[in-house]
Amino acid sequence: MDYKSVAKYVLDNIGGESNIQSVTHCATRLRFRLKDESKVDENALNNSDDIIQAFSKGGQYQVIIGTEVPKVYNELVSDSKIDEGGEEHKETGNLVSRFFNTISGIFTPLLPALAGAGILRGLLLLMSQLGWMDEKSGTYVILSAASMSVFYFLPIMLAFTSALRFKVNPYIAAVIGASLIHPDLIELLGNSGNGTMTSFLGIPVILMNYSSTVIPAILAIWVYSYLERILEKYIWKSVQIIFVPLISLVIIVPITVMVFGPFGVYVGEGIANAINWLSETNGWITGLLVGGIWNVFVVFGLQWAVNPIMISNISTLGFDKIVPLTAAANFGMAGAAFAVLLKTKNKRMKSFSLSALLSIFFAGITEPAIYGVGMKLKRPFVGALIGGALGGAYIGGTGVKSFAFVFGGLTTLPAFVGSTFVHYVIGLAICFVAGTIATYILGFEDPVSNNQQEGNVLTTEENLQKEPLQEDNEVVSPLAGEVRQLKDVNDGVFSEGILGEGIAIIPREGKLYAPASGELSTLFPTKHAYGITTSNGTELLVHVGINTVELDGEYFEAFVEQGDKVEKGQLLAEFDIEKISENYKVTTPILLTNPEGYDIEIIKTSGDVNSGDILFKIEKK
């Protein structure tokens, strides 16, 4: 991928730099806040080979690139004045979408650290259980510190990323987070643990251990974001550097310890306990539901509401039972992608499904498979849900545990090493095989098959194997619309018969069918013009629109390739009439381009016509 070119292409079709309020990215997609989404050329974005999908959701415009999105993002912002992830403008979308966007923005920067630490933790557990490393050795302790520090100091890191999200001073935020796990505060707990009482200015305070917690730090910085803006509004700029942090620390830290901290801990523990209770009560049903629905969560961004619970479980309990179920969903999706890889005859889809499959295996990232394979072909997505549900039921029923927060893939297997590891591997195998079989049985409309009409599905390869086409002197309408004589076409090349004789149609729908049977001898790269050589030697040209070559293929989608054998009435292409009509005439000439030696009889010279109606007849002289 040429990252610079892709970045420029996205920028050009997103409405330009001036249309962007801010941009950030997650593991696979660019997330834009735009001033005017009507300026986006969505067709152009979705027709690019380098873009998986582009769409608007929850007040954001998202462009899915795949795992190489960080490099595209860097090119996008390197030579521009685009706000990198800034959220100074007011969040848009409903309350639910804003909540998920916020959680996503807070946790996304930490995912590499969480994933790396999780793998290291899994490897240490594996080496310890195999007897390759003593848990009391200096080597083990040092590496263990490296693997667990991200969880222990999670309040500091979350405070920092929350500050970036809420657009406040991240270093003061980090101090607030650090104060929650200061040794002196922890020492007040003594041996009594959570619930120990102390006081602040005579006000009773319930002490908690905030190391590894999630909610308290986020709540603290959210409130701090409002306080900082108020203080900066009323304190002289010359002394803000002293009094803004001073007052913020004096107010936010005590309030957090007295209110947000206990509230966050109790809420987090309550949610975690509820999910863990459900897993213990009936792990089979829990696994079936979570494994089956998780990929739907990913589509709507709902996974960000559950990720903090998994992280909290690992931080406080040392393990989690939801992470394995998300891995089940991943491998169900991998099975679906594998089935598409085996079954599709479309070279581009075969290549992409392989790339999406490897993305899951090696990075545990499913978005390329979900959007580029599952959602695009529809039925494979259902197959993936079936695979994830069946394997998830087994994983949940056997009580599989994860000892680190990771994305489910082959490289993260060490994070699951323990007494349930074998069941985890068996469960993933069930997911993968079930997802593959379900997708293979359900089938899908292969993109190659689009070169046929509905109900007459043939691949290009099958077309080439067909018997020679019979001679036919009738040319039918390739479009539904209104007939116009060539002399009325507002282009001298057509109206003066320079390219040949024939008729023109003003289409009313954006579907183009073959006017005769023969070989597709010409297909312009811009997809606006199609030449057919029939079995009796006549050469036909269908030219969609006037001067539409200038669109360079935008708003056109061809379902055939040059050299294909095509049948009369076969769907050749689709095009967006409304978009094209904004700047171009969609009048479409249908011409006999080698009239020498042939007589042409025009049957339809005016009025409405449907695709398949006879336009003219051709006879040899």
Side-chain angles (χ1 to χ4, degrees):
M1 181 182 290
D2 184 340
Y3 307 117
K4 196 174 190 67
S5 295
V6 174
K8 184 179 184 304
Y9 186 84
V10 170
L11 188 61
D12 290 343
N13 290 288
I14 209 77
E17 184 177 331
S18 61
N19 193 37
I20 300 173
Q21 287 185 315
S22 69
V23 61
T24 184
H25 73 89
C26 58
T28 59
R29 67 191 76 182
L30 297 168
R31 296 173 178 269
F32 291 93
R33 294 286 185 186
L34 301 177
K35 297 175 182 177
D36 184 359
E37 288 193 359
S38 67
K39 294 182 178 180
V40 177
D41 189 341
E42 192 163 293
N43 283 334
L45 291 172
N46 283 319
N47 286 332
S48 169
D49 290 343
D50 296 311
I51 296 171
I52 298 171
Q53 192 173 3
F55 55 90
S56 177
K57 179 181 245 346
Q60 287 185 338
Y61 198 87
Q62 302 180 20
V63 180
I64 303 175
I65 302 293
T67 55
E68 294 177 303
V69 68
K71 296 175 182 177
V72 175
Y73 173 81
N74 290 337
E75 292 291 346
L76 186 70
V77 301
S78 61
D79 297 324
S80 68
K81 296 179 181 179
I82 297 173
D83 186 1
E84 301 178 41
E87 297 293 337
E88 290 180 343
H89 59 286
K90 185 177 180 180
E91 283 273 7
T92 57
N94 58 43
L95 185 62
V96 175
S97 67
R98 287 161 56 191
F99 170 76
F100 289 130
N101 289 339
T102 299
I103 295 297
S104 171
I106 290 171
F107 277 91
T108 295
L110 291 179
L111 292 182
L114 291 168
I119 296 297
L120 179 56
R121 176 65 175 165
L123 290 172
L124 285 174
L125 291 172
L126 177 62
M127 288 188 284
S128 174
Q129 292 184 9
L130 294 175
W132 294 352
M133 188 176 294
D134 185 356
E135 291 184 7
K136 296 181 180 180
S137 68
T139 301
Y140 184 93
V141 171
I142 292 172
L143 292 177
S144 179
S147 68
M148 295 304 293
S149 61
V150 65
F151 297 102
Y152 184 86
F153 295 105
L154 198 56
I156 300 176
M157 297 184 180
L158 286 175
F160 192 90
T161 58
S162 297
L164 296 178
R165 180 68 183 182
F166 298 133
K167 299 299 291 181
V168 291
N169 191 311
Y171 301 101
I172 296 176
V175 172
I176 293 172
S179 67
L180 298 177
I181 56 175
H182 192 278
D184 290 346
L185 189 61
I186 295 175
E187 188 178 348
L188 285 176
L189 287 170
N191 297 323
S192 302
N194 287 347
T196 301
M197 298 296 297
T198 186
S199 65
F200 176 76
L201 297 178
I203 303 172
V205 176
I206 301 175
L207 292 174
M208 313 291 276
N209 187 342
Y210 297 112
S211 62
S212 303
T213 57
V214 172
I215 299 177
I218 296 176
L219 285 177
I221 305 310
W222 176 59
V223 174
Y224 163 61
S225 68
Y226 288 97
L227 177 62
E228 183 183 83
R229 291 184 178 94
I230 292 172
L231 294 176
E232 288 181 346
K233 182 178 180 180
Y234 292 103
I235 295 177
W236 292 335
K237 289 186 178 181
S238 59
V239 294
Q240 282 182 3
I241 192 172
I242 298 173
F243 289 103
V244 170
L246 170 63
I247 297 174
S248 298
L249 293 174
V250 168
I251 293 176
I252 296 298
V253 174
I255 289 180
T256 302
V257 173
M258 289 189 290
V259 182
F260 307 139
F263 172 79
V265 170
Y266 286 134
V267 170
E269 287 181 352
I271 296 174
N273 289 337
I275 294 177
N276 292 332
W277 173 83
L278 185 61
S279 298
E280 296 294 336
T281 302
N282 196 319
W284 295 92
I285 293 179
T286 303
L288 181 76
L289 293 175
V290 177
I293 205 171
W294 189 257
N295 280 323
V296 178
F297 277 21
V298 174
V299 171
F300 290 99
L302 299 177
Q303 80 274 24
W304 293 106
V306 187
N307 285 349
I309 297 171
M310 295 185 277
I311 295 170
S312 177
N313 279 339
I314 292 169
S315 300
T316 55
L317 303 176
F319 65 88
D320 177 70
K321 292 186 177 181
I322 307 174
V323 172
L325 303 182
T326 68
N330 286 7
F331 274 75
M333 194 70 245
F338 183 63
V340 172
L341 174 64
L342 295 177
K343 198 169 186 178
T344 183
K345 292 182 173 64
N346 184 301
K347 291 182 179 180
R348 182 183 173 193
M349 179 55 68
K350 189 179 289 288
S351 174
F352 184 82
S353 57
L354 175 60
S355 174
L357 179 64
L358 295 178
S359 176
I360 296 174
F361 280 166
F362 292 105
I365 293 175
T366 56
E367 278 87 347
I370 288 175
Y371 291 103
V373 179
M375 299 295 287
K376 184 172 186 177
L377 302 180
K378 299 179 179 62
R379 291 179 184 173
F381 188 72
V382 177
L385 299 186
I386 293 172
L390 294 178
Y394 179 84
I395 289 174
T398 53
V400 173
K401 298 177 181 178
S402 171
F403 300 96
F405 177 75
V406 294
F407 297 140
L410 297 179
T411 56
T412 59
L413 288 174
F416 302 86
V417 172
S419 59
T420 59
F421 180 69
V422 173
H423 292 301
Y424 177 65
V425 174
I426 294 173
L428 293 187
I430 293 173
C431 296
F432 185 78
V433 173
T436 301
I437 294 175
T439 301
Y440 213 90
I441 292 174
L442 289 172
F444 53 89
E445 187 176 350
D446 197 331
V448 172
S449 303
N450 284 337
N451 63 356
Q452 300 293 328
Q453 297 184 72
E454 284 186 39
N456 185 24
V457 179
L458 291 174
T459 65
T460 301
E461 181 179 345
E462 290 169 332
N463 265 329
L464 295 174
Q465 295 173 352
K466 287 181 64 64
E467 294 295 322
L469 298 166
Q470 300 297 316
E471 290 191 7
D472 189 347
N473 67 340
E474 294 179 342
V475 176
V476 301
S477 176
L479 300 156
E482 186 179 352
V483 176
R484 287 283 190 274
Q485 295 187 47
L486 281 185
K487 65 184 180 64
D488 297 325
V489 175
N490 189 25
D491 188 316
V493 172
F494 297 111
S495 61
E496 296 175 15
I498 296 175
L499 287 181
E501 301 177 28
I503 204 76
I505 296 174
I506 301 175
R508 60 171 175 262
E509 64 177 5
K511 291 188 176 182
L512 178 70
Y513 300 93
S517 299
E519 178 183 340
L520 191 68
S521 51
T522 303
L523 173 56
F524 281 64
T526 49
K527 306 172 190 174
H528 75 293
Y530 300 78
I532 296 174
T533 301
T534 67
S535 57
N536 58 17
T538 57
E539 297 175 1
L540 303 173
L541 175 67
V542 181
H543 191 287
V544 182
I546 306 301
N547 296 323
T548 47
V549 65
E550 297 173 0
L551 289 169
D552 197 26
E554 288 188 22
Y555 314 127
F556 289 91
E557 182 178 7
F559 301 134
V560 287
E561 297 178 359
Q562 186 166 317
D564 282 358
K565 295 286 198 270
V566 297
E567 289 186 276
K568 181 187 293 185
Q570 176 180 325
L571 181 63
L572 301 180
E574 292 183 356
F575 52 95
D576 191 328
I577 290 180
E578 292 184 3
K579 289 287 188 181
I580 296 172
S581 299
E582 290 177 1
N583 297 296
Y584 299 89
K585 297 287 186 182
V586 290
T587 304
T588 300
I590 300 95
L591 306 174
L592 171 66
T593 58
N594 63 334
E596 302 82 3
Y598 296 96
D599 288 325
I600 181 170
E601 179 186 359
I602 306 296
I603 304 298
K604 191 82 172 177
T605 58
S606 63
D608 289 335
V609 68
N610 294 317
S611 58
D613 291 351
I614 299 175
L615 288 179
F616 51 84
K617 293 183 179 180
I618 302 173
E619 299 286 351
K620 288 185 178 179
K621 289 181 179 179

